[in-house]
Amino acid sequence: NAGVTQTPKFRVLKTGQSMTLLCAQDMNHEYMYWYRQDPGMGLRLIHYSVGEGTTAKGEVPDGYNVSRLKKQNFLLGLESAAPSQTSVYFCASRRTSGGAYEQYFGPGTRLTVT
Amino acid sequence: AQRVTQPEKLLSVFKGAPVELKCNYSYSGSPELFWYVQYSRQRLQLLLRHISRESIKGFTADLNKGETSFHLKKPFAQEEDSAMYYCALRETSGSRLTFGEGTQLTVNP
């Protein structure tokens, strides 16, 4: 099993450009999450999904959109990138019930907006 | 709203010395607390959870509800413990985690 994978690993954007980050998991998990990691600020939740076709806002949703058309995929979109969105983005997933609560993380996507 | 605070951004100790990474939280309900670790060039992974009362890689953490703390401790630090450590809180039966700011631990030889 690959676990949680993220595409791409690195990306440089110019201000105003758009892009989509892809998160995929092969563990049949219901829940998926998008975080951003910034120095001194820890991980902050952008959006999350409790199942296929559903999404919800997290702590810092502005400037991002998400979609969960397939259970295994969770897409994060930036419609008009801004330098403040320079960050490392992590995706995570977890199962709904049974066993202890644990989120499984992807390797991250490093995004630079110039 | 819940909040997790890790007061030390950087912590440096020598190999063999005790180490304590502090975590304080604010939450009115009954929380579930976790420690996640991110080693260099690796993905974030769960280190331990308070409900398991386990010791992982020599680390332990006790939930102190009176002081609203969940400090991570190890009696004898090793160089391979060098990593970024995050404390996280889950609300009662919640689906989300709230993370602290993180502490970068460096264990010097």
Side-chain angles (χ1 to χ4, degrees):
Chain A
N1 285 354
V4 181
T5 58
Q6 293 182 231
T7 309
K9 289 186 170 54
F10 305 93
R11 186 71 187 268
V12 178
L13 286 179
K14 291 187 182 341
T15 298
Q17 287 184 320
S18 63
M19 78 163 295
T20 300
L21 283 68
L22 170 64
C23 176
Q25 52 93 7
D26 60 3
M27 297 175 283
N28 201 34
H29 285 173
E30 289 291 337
Y31 288 69
M32 297 187 75
Y33 306 83
W34 274 109
Y35 296 90
R36 59 178 290 172
Q37 182 188 45
D38 301 291
M41 304 187 77
L43 273 77
R44 292 180 293 168
L45 183 65
I46 305 171
H47 286 280
Y48 65 104
S49 169
V50 302
E52 181 179 323
T54 70
T55 62
K57 293 181 180 179
E59 186 184 348
V60 288
D62 294 342
Y64 305 95
N65 57 74
V66 289
S67 64
R68 183 97 181 271
L69 299 179
K70 292 183 179 180
K71 185 177 182 179
Q72 63 268 34
N73 296 338
F74 194 28
L75 279 64
L76 178 71
L78 287 73
E79 289 186 350
S80 180
S84 60
Q85 294 178 304
T86 293
S87 187
V88 181
Y89 291 86
F90 287 99
C91 176
S93 72
R94 74 170 183 95
R95 57 187 173 187
T96 306
S97 60
Y101 182 104
E102 180 174 354
Q103 290 189 17
Y104 295 84
F105 283 81
T109 294
R110 185 173 295 275
L111 175 66
T112 302
V113 183
T114 61
Chain B
Q2 66 278 10
R3 184 177 170 82
V4 178
T5 303
Q6 294 178 246
E8 305 137 328
K9 286 188 171 52
L10 303 172
L11 185 61
S12 182
V13 301
F14 285 102
K15 177 182 173 181
V19 62
E20 180 179 68
L21 290 82
K22 292 184 167 52
C23 172
N24 293 95
Y25 68 89
S26 61
Y27 177 59
S28 56
S30 185
E32 192 173 349
L33 274 295
F34 306 82
W35 277 98
Y36 278 78
V37 61
Q38 186 177 26
Y39 300 103
S40 180
R41 299 189 195 87
Q42 293 188 29
R43 61 186 69 193
L44 202 66
Q45 57 188 286
L46 178 66
L47 179 62
L48 55 80
R49 53 174 70 89
H50 90 268
I51 59 173
S52 300
R53 293 185 171 273
E54 56 203 343
S55 174
I56 303 293
K57 299 184 179 183
F59 283 99
T60 59
D62 291 318
L63 179 60
N64 186 322
K65 292 187 176 180
E67 296 184 357
T68 59
S69 68
F70 187 57
H71 303 328
L72 184 68
K73 301 176 184 179
K74 185 169 183 177
F76 307 103
Q78 302 300 314
E79 290 180 66
E80 55 266 30
D81 296 328
S82 295
M84 177 69 84
Y85 291 80
Y86 289 100
C87 182
L89 177 150
R90 177 194 181 201
E91 300 172 36
T92 308
S93 300
S95 58
R96 302 160 47 161
L97 290 177
T98 299
F99 285 86
E101 305 92 336
T103 297
Q104 179 68 51
L105 173 66
T106 301
V107 181
N108 299 297

